[in-house]
Amino acid sequence: MFDTLSDRLGTVFDRLRGRGALSEQDVRDAMREVRVALLEADVALPVARRFIDSVTEKAVGQDVLRSVTPGQMVVKIVHDELVEMLGGGDGAVAEGLNLAAKPPVVIMMVGLQGSGKTTTTAKLAKWIREKHGKKALMASLDVARPAAQEQLAVLGTQVEVATLPIVQGQQPVDIARRALESARLQAIDVLLLDTAGRLHVDQALMDEMKAVAGVSAPTEVLLVVDSLTGQDAVNVAQSFSGEVPLTGVVLTRMDGDARGGAALSMRHVTGKPIKFAGTGEKLDAIEAFHPGRVADRILG
Ligand code: GDP
């Protein structure tokens, strides 16, 4: 994750740190290199531009250049700005999920087909059971993809979380109603609804998401996107957030994403926090997304 960016920034900042004194021009030259590194990591152009402007302004406008360790201070400014870019600063809820509402708390999972939505639903159910000690129920509303409901049932057995029994032919909104009813009867704390994906964002999908949200009143609506698709992931998030009230994003396949552009652009472009990162195929390969820790990782 972020391998190339981390290497590139490391080279720039080692050089800055190695010098006793820095001129404004030194900072501007370094920031030009940082900008190229960000763009190569597939960060959206306006996001990269804003980042560089903000760092440059802070680095040359204050007493940074006259300090004893100017290089050190510039790196600190970059770190803080990275945290901001990754969604720190405002509302980075600890552990990502808001589970305090009246049970059953509904978590609606949305996203395109193949993004890792069903796997992530099972990962989160396991997380909720193990880390929060809550009783969870999962229901697949995916009647579009053959065997999607069975797939969730198999995963449910693996993570030891119950799944709603399958009723062939039932439509998503009715499944959602039945799931809620079942959750109430069984005193379930958290109900996870795995909605149907599509190959592309289309109106039928959005209408279905809205109808399901309408009957289930979700506390969390989490969009699952594949980080490997880079700027496409950010575009998908933007399309969804215009239609359904997303509360956050889960970025999957971060284990294979050496660039990190989606993670770095998501907050700025969509206004939605990244709440979790998927880091592998195994059902415990999920991490809460902490902007500070990710910035530490990037800056090595
Ligand atoms: P869906 O169509 O969105 O429900 O996608 P699935 O949950 O069926 O996932 C598609 C494939 O992606 C499966 O083979 C998963 O094991 C894999 N997958 C999901 N999340 C991750 C992840 O974070 N890392 C990796 N390496 N693979 C993942």
Side-chain angles (χ1 to χ4, degrees):
M1 227 189 282
F2 303 111
D3 305 341
T4 320
L5 179 62
S6 192
D7 284 353
R8 296 283 301 260
L9 295 185
T11 311
V12 178
F13 295 141
D14 281 350
R15 205 162 57 227
L16 277 191
R17 280 200 205 92
R19 303 174 56 151
L22 287 183
S23 67
E24 189 174 322
Q25 193 55 44
D26 293 331
V27 173
R28 292 192 189 280
D29 290 345
M31 286 310 130
R32 196 162 311 138
E33 289 180 63
V34 172
R35 182 183 143 107
V36 172
L38 288 174
L39 294 179
E40 282 179 0
D42 202 21
V43 171
L45 182 62
V47 181
R49 194 177 287 148
R50 197 174 82 149
F51 180 88
I52 296 302
D53 287 352
S54 179
V55 171
T56 307
E57 190 188 321
K58 285 177 186 147
V60 304
Q62 300 170 5
D63 291 335
V64 171
L65 299 181
R66 282 190 295 279
S67 75
V68 190
T69 53
Q72 218 69 296
M73 295 195 53
V74 172
V75 177
K76 166 90 170 60
I77 293 169
V78 169
H79 179 274
D80 294 350
E81 209 65 31
L82 262 181
V83 174
E84 193 68 25
M85 185 182 192
L86 288 160
D90 57 323
V93 183
E95 293 242 313
L97 296 174
N98 176 7
L99 301 178
K102 183 169 166 280
V105 172
V106 176
I107 301 179
M108 190 173 148
M109 309 293 294
V110 302
L112 295 184
Q113 201 165 303
S115 59
K117 188 164 43 58
T118 302
T119 311
T120 303
T121 304
K123 286 179 177 178
L124 278 182
K126 180 172 157 65
W127 173 287
I128 287 163
R129 179 175 69 74
E130 291 179 351
K131 303 226 188 240
H132 294 273
K134 302 230 178 218
K135 199 171 162 193
L137 173 70
M138 298 191 286
S140 170
L141 276 48
D142 190 349
V143 297
R145 183 162 62 95
Q149 300 188 70
E150 286 80 0
Q151 182 193 350
L152 189 68
V154 170
L155 293 174
T157 311
Q158 290 174 24
V159 298
E160 296 172 44
V161 171
T163 45
L164 186 75
I166 299 168
V167 173
Q168 295 299 341
Q170 198 165 37
Q171 291 307 297
V173 168
D174 295 326
I175 304 177
R177 282 206 188 93
R178 183 162 59 88
L180 263 178
E181 185 60 32
S182 175
R184 284 194 192 106
L185 287 173
Q186 298 178 72
I188 294 292
D189 299 310
V190 183
L191 170 63
L192 294 113
L193 299 178
D194 181 19
T195 64
R198 294 283 197 283
L199 291 176
H200 306 284
V201 175
D202 65 22
Q203 200 51 46
L205 173 65
M206 293 308 168
D207 291 346
E208 187 174 305
M209 298 298 105
K210 282 185 218 168
V212 170
V215 297
S216 63
T219 302
E220 296 275 1
V221 181
L222 300 179
L223 173 70
V224 180
V225 284
D226 179 354
S227 65
L228 290 181
T229 61
Q231 288 315 296
D232 257 359
V234 180
N235 295 337
V236 166
Q238 216 170 5
S239 313
F240 269 84
S241 63
E243 299 271 351
V244 281
L246 296 183
T247 58
V249 175
V250 181
L251 274 180
T252 61
R253 301 206 180 86
M254 290 287 277
D255 48 308
D257 181 17
R259 301 207 290 170
L264 291 159
S265 315
M266 190 62 75
R267 187 54 186 262
H268 176 74
V269 175
T270 68
K272 302 298 167 196
I274 300 168
K275 294 203 168 188
F276 290 92
T279 54
E281 295 199 24
K282 292 220 181 90
L283 295 169
D284 51 9
I286 188 158
E287 293 173 15
F289 191 86
H290 297 292
R293 285 188 213 158
V294 177
D296 289 348
R297 207 181 293 174
I298 293 172
L299 292 178

